[in-house]
Amino acid sequence: MTLPRDPPIVFARPFIGSEEIDDVVETLKSGWLVSGPRVARFEELFAQTVGTRHAVAVSSCTAALHVSLLALGVGAGDEVITTPITYCATAHSIVHAGARPVFVDVEPDTGNIDPDAIEAAISPRSAAIMPVHLAGRPCHMDRITAIADRHGLALIEDAAQAIGACFHGRAAGSLGAAGCFSLYATKTVTTAEGGMVVTDDRELAEKVRLYSRHGLSEDTWTRSAGTGYRHQHALVPGFKFTMTEVGAALGIRQLGRLQEEVGRRAEISNRYDATLSQLPIDIPAAIPDGITHARQLYSPQLHTEAVAPTRDELLDRLLGLGVGTGVHFAPIHLHPYYRQAFGHRRGELPAAERFGERTFSLPLSRGLSREDIEDVGAAVGVALR
Ligand SMILES: *Cc1c(COP(=O)(O)O)cnc(C)c1O
């Protein structure tokens, strides 16, 4: 054991192999940098991987969520039921679409949205449900799809953390009207910045494409494949949310490493479980049969009532010991903007608030060595003393 670690153990380090580097260089030499054959190929592979008919590459998961809402016709006057235990982009996308986020409480052990709380929050203005598969653990999608169907609500999965996750044989992100993935630098599969919308609905896929390509009738690649000049016309005031060829070249290679990545992440998580279960900490909830957890994050919960240091003191001590850490997440309804704009107050969502005070995340990337994993475990023990 060597603590403090110097240089520190990085919280999330992307794995970029020499294949990725070669493919990026080749892409740069190809002379075609955006919306070309690599993006088309990456979309095809992505759809195959999650088992949907269509996949549309975009510039981020934030963009994916935003255009999915627009393409599904969610806007002013509508409510979207979602979880407060998520990255702020989930809620922001709802606000960007002109709708109102309705935050409901979560399960205390997983931090995932509570299906009973969704049901209780349905109003005549409800238009959509946006669950988040926190840390890569699928939500109760059987119950959530049933609620969406029964009430005629659109279901948009924030699968930003869930590539590689499975719910009874179906990929997380493939279970609703649209699934949105993040390909950001710290995610399991990365294009540096990037996102993907998946769906079985051809018309919806076309609308997503339209909204993310300025609202123009055809993209550049499709156009160049035809004969003769064709004009493009703006059908809606869309956005510029395209993926680059460089990003797609990275993504194609990264997607090929998915199973290996998820396996390695599970291994590291199991080692952390073994060490942390000896401490006043709740390790992540057990995984039921039929569920594959994608292990985007390793986030246990501190028994705050049983130990002297607060969760935030624990974070500071871990950083002092050279161990990267983070909080996933502090509840969104208590962020200043959401308090001010929607009048939220502490006490509204007790399970989410308690989760937000107890959760902390430890380094998780496939490059961690046995010694790194041991040092992280030891550092948590030292920090709690
Ligand atoms: C990372 C993340 C996002 C945002 O993804 P970007 O690709 O960075 O826009 C949204 N929701 C959740 C749950 C995330 O973890």
Side-chain angles (χ1 to χ4, degrees):
M1 186 178 85
T2 40
L3 292 174
R5 285 288 299 259
D6 185 26
I9 301 174
V10 175
F11 179 70
R13 184 192 289 280
F15 179 84
I16 302 294
S18 58
E19 294 89 347
E20 277 91 331
I21 293 168
D22 291 347
D23 288 355
V24 164
V25 170
E26 195 190 305
T27 306
L28 291 172
K29 289 178 177 168
S30 79
W32 197 291
L33 297 184
V34 295
S35 307
R38 289 169 184 83
V39 171
R41 178 79 191 124
F42 185 39
E43 288 176 339
E44 232 172 81
L45 287 173
F46 206 98
Q48 267 170 33
T49 302
V50 300
T52 54
R53 291 209 185 90
H54 309 282
V56 182
V58 291
S59 51
S60 68
C61 184
T62 309
L65 294 165
H66 184 182
V67 290
S68 295
L69 286 164
L70 297 180
L72 283 159
V74 177
D78 291 331
E79 292 177 352
V80 179
I81 300 171
T82 191
T83 169
I85 299 295
T86 183
Y87 188 54
C88 59
T90 313
H92 291 353
S93 75
I94 298 168
V95 174
H96 288 153
R100 181 188 179 95
V102 174
F103 300 107
V104 303
D105 219 345
V106 301
E107 298 181 315
D109 55 343
T110 66
N112 271 340
I113 196 165
D114 177 349
D116 289 331
I118 295 175
E119 191 113 48
I122 289 171
S123 86
R125 288 176 178 266
S126 303
I129 307 172
M130 190 180 277
V132 176
H133 307 299
L134 187 66
R137 181 193 176 100
C139 297
H140 294 289
M141 292 309 290
D142 45 354
R143 297 193 52 204
I144 295 173
T145 47
I147 295 168
D149 289 347
R150 191 157 0 103
H151 297 274
L153 305 177
L155 179 54
I156 302 161
E157 295 173 78
D158 179 340
Q161 303 184 348
I163 185 151
C166 256
F167 185 85
H168 298 288
R170 293 182 61 189
S174 73
L175 297 145
C180 300
F181 290 86
S182 175
L183 304 162
Y184 180 63
T186 57
K187 300 289 172 33
T188 301
V189 167
T190 186
T191 58
E193 289 278 11
M196 193 71 76
V197 179
V198 301
T199 180
D200 282 330
D201 180 340
R202 175 188 248 320
E203 211 175 301
L204 185 63
E206 277 168 12
K207 274 194 190 156
V208 163
R209 211 174 278 285
L210 185 72
Y211 273 108
S212 56
R213 278 120 178 98
H214 298 290
L216 289 173
S217 50
E218 270 183 293
D219 69 31
T220 324
W221 178 253
T222 319
R223 221 159 24 104
S224 70
T227 49
Y229 188 84
R230 306 236 287 276
H231 288 282
Q232 285 185 294
H233 302 283
L235 306 180
V236 292
F239 297 86
K240 179 68 184 300
F241 287 158
T242 41
M243 178 177 283
T244 65
E245 285 283 286
V246 177
L250 266 175
I252 291 167
R253 282 291 177 190
Q254 291 264 303
L255 205 52
R257 304 187 192 278
L258 177 61
Q259 287 320 314
E260 213 183 311
E261 267 288 337
V262 172
R264 177 72 185 132
R265 285 165 176 274
E267 240 174 73
I268 297 169
S269 301
N270 292 340
R271 296 243 204 108
Y272 281 155
D273 280 353
T275 308
L276 300 192
S277 49
Q278 333 261 337
L279 297 170
I281 281 172
D282 285 331
I283 59 172
I287 305 158
D289 286 343
I291 302 295
T292 307
H293 190 312
R295 303 292 191 179
Q296 169 64 48
L297 294 169
Y298 183 85
S299 309
Q301 296 187 54
L302 180 64
H303 286 189
T304 44
E305 53 297 309
V307 290
T310 64
R311 192 274 318 273
D312 286 359
E313 281 164 353
L314 170 63
L315 300 176
D316 285 342
R317 290 179 188 181
L318 286 175
L319 292 178
L321 292 165
V323 172
T325 185
V327 171
H328 302 89
F329 293 93
I332 303 297
H333 68 291
L334 298 180
H335 284 220
Y337 168 76
Y338 289 92
R339 282 178 188 256
Q340 282 152 25
F342 302 100
H344 290 300
R345 274 172 324 226
R346 187 170 293 281
E348 270 174 51
L349 301 168
E353 291 166 23
R354 184 170 151 83
F355 187 93
E357 283 162 8
R358 289 160 47 101
T359 188
F360 66 102
S361 303
L362 294 177
L364 186 57
S365 15
R366 81 185 242 183
L368 293 179
S369 67
R370 175 176 280 274
E371 191 193 7
D372 292 337
I373 298 164
E374 282 167 10
D375 281 354
V376 170
V380 177
V382 169
L384 289 180
R385 235 173 267 147

